[in-house]
Amino acid sequence: AFGGSHLTNLITGRMVPMLSGMGDTMLVTLFVVWFAYRNALWMRKLVKVRLIYAVLFCLATLTRFINVMNATTSLKSAFPASQSGPIILGGLFGTGGGLLLDLDKVATGVASLSSLSNPGWGFVTPYVAAFLVVYIPELANSGAAFDYGFFGIKTDDVLFVLAFGFSLHALFYEITKFSLTQWLASVSSRSSTKPKVEEKKLSAAEYVAKNSPAAQKKKKT
């Protein structure tokens, strides 16, 4: 709430959420959740339960991606001359808070790299979502408008399904700790890397014989 949405609105000259009608409610809600988590031991223990954390993370991811897609749709409508702009700023809408947190971690020595220099799945996916928001209407031959639909289905429904898919991926990962993208990356790296051929270690006598003047002369001939 205080990261991506505020950064995006500041860059585009729009009103930041804190100054909107929902600003007070948002601030109070965030303070209550922060205070309860920080001071209530039972809440911290509850959140550490894997299944509960996975469900909460899934719902948070769903909300995040719906917000990213809505922001990208709004940016595309407000700035129709650009396609890259809404993608970059739409992705920033979902990653700005993480980047600010990374800045704090790097400054305090907790981390050495930020998500910008070492992007992970959580950083990349908002930009993927923003890209899909911009180009799904193009693939559906509906131009740049977002109200024409996609193969007979309303575009908003398609975007919700995509956001739901991202959230299910988050739920699956938190429960199983298996990431399909990491697995595909590892398979790709293994297939592109040639196996190393171990060189036979020579004994002292074999090394001398191999590098003797007679052996070198034989190689030349």
Side-chain angles (χ1 to χ4, degrees):
F2 295 99
S5 59
H6 281 70
L7 286 175
T8 303
N9 286 2
L10 285 172
I11 291 173
T12 56
R14 296 179 170 188
M15 179 185 294
V16 296
M18 187 54 62
L19 298 178
S20 66
M22 66 176 183
D24 295 340
T25 303
M26 180 176 62
L27 181 61
V28 171
T29 302
L30 289 174
F31 175 77
V32 169
V33 173
W34 171 82
F35 184 84
Y37 182 80
R38 184 178 178 84
N39 296 281
L41 180 61
W42 65 269
M43 180 175 287
R44 293 199 298 272
K45 289 183 177 180
L46 188 65
V47 173
K48 287 181 180 179
V49 177
R50 175 176 290 187
L51 183 59
I52 294 177
Y53 179 81
V55 172
L56 292 175
F57 188 69
C58 175
L59 295 175
T61 302
L62 178 62
T63 303
R64 178 190 184 197
F65 279 97
I66 289 177
N67 290 336
V68 167
M69 291 177 172
N70 287 337
T72 307
T73 301
S74 176
L75 288 166
K76 181 60 182 174
S77 300
F79 306 99
S82 173
Q83 290 185 331
S84 60
I87 293 174
I88 299 300
L89 293 180
L92 180 64
F93 194 92
T95 59
L99 287 174
L100 293 176
L101 184 60
D102 286 347
L103 180 63
D104 177 69
K105 289 181 178 180
V106 172
T108 55
V110 176
S112 58
L113 294 174
S114 69
S115 297
L116 190 61
S117 57
N118 186 31
W121 173 251
F123 182 82
V124 172
T125 44
Y127 293 93
V128 174
F131 175 86
L132 294 175
V133 169
V134 171
Y135 282 102
I136 274 181
E138 301 290 342
L139 296 176
N141 296 322
S142 59
F146 286 84
D147 56 350
Y148 285 170
F150 180 66
F151 294 115
I153 305 174
K154 292 183 179 179
T155 305
D156 290 341
D157 296 335
V158 176
L159 299 181
F160 178 80
V161 170
L162 290 172
F164 190 68
F166 282 119
S167 64
L168 284 182
H169 176 273
L171 177 66
F172 178 76
Y173 173 75
E174 287 300 327
I175 293 177
T176 65
K177 294 302 179 183
F178 173 80
S179 174
L180 179 61
T181 53
Q182 292 178 0
W183 179 77
L184 291 174
S186 63
V187 171
S188 176
S189 62
R190 284 199 302 266
S191 61
S192 60
T193 304
K194 295 181 180 179
K196 295 182 178 180
V197 179
E198 295 185 0
E199 295 184 359
K200 180 183 176 181
K201 293 183 178 180
L202 302 177
S203 63
E206 290 174 331
Y207 179 82
V208 171
K210 183 179 179 181
N211 294 277
S212 64
Q216 296 295 332
K217 185 177 180 180
K218 188 176 181 181
K219 285 182 180 180
K220 292 180 181 180
T221 57

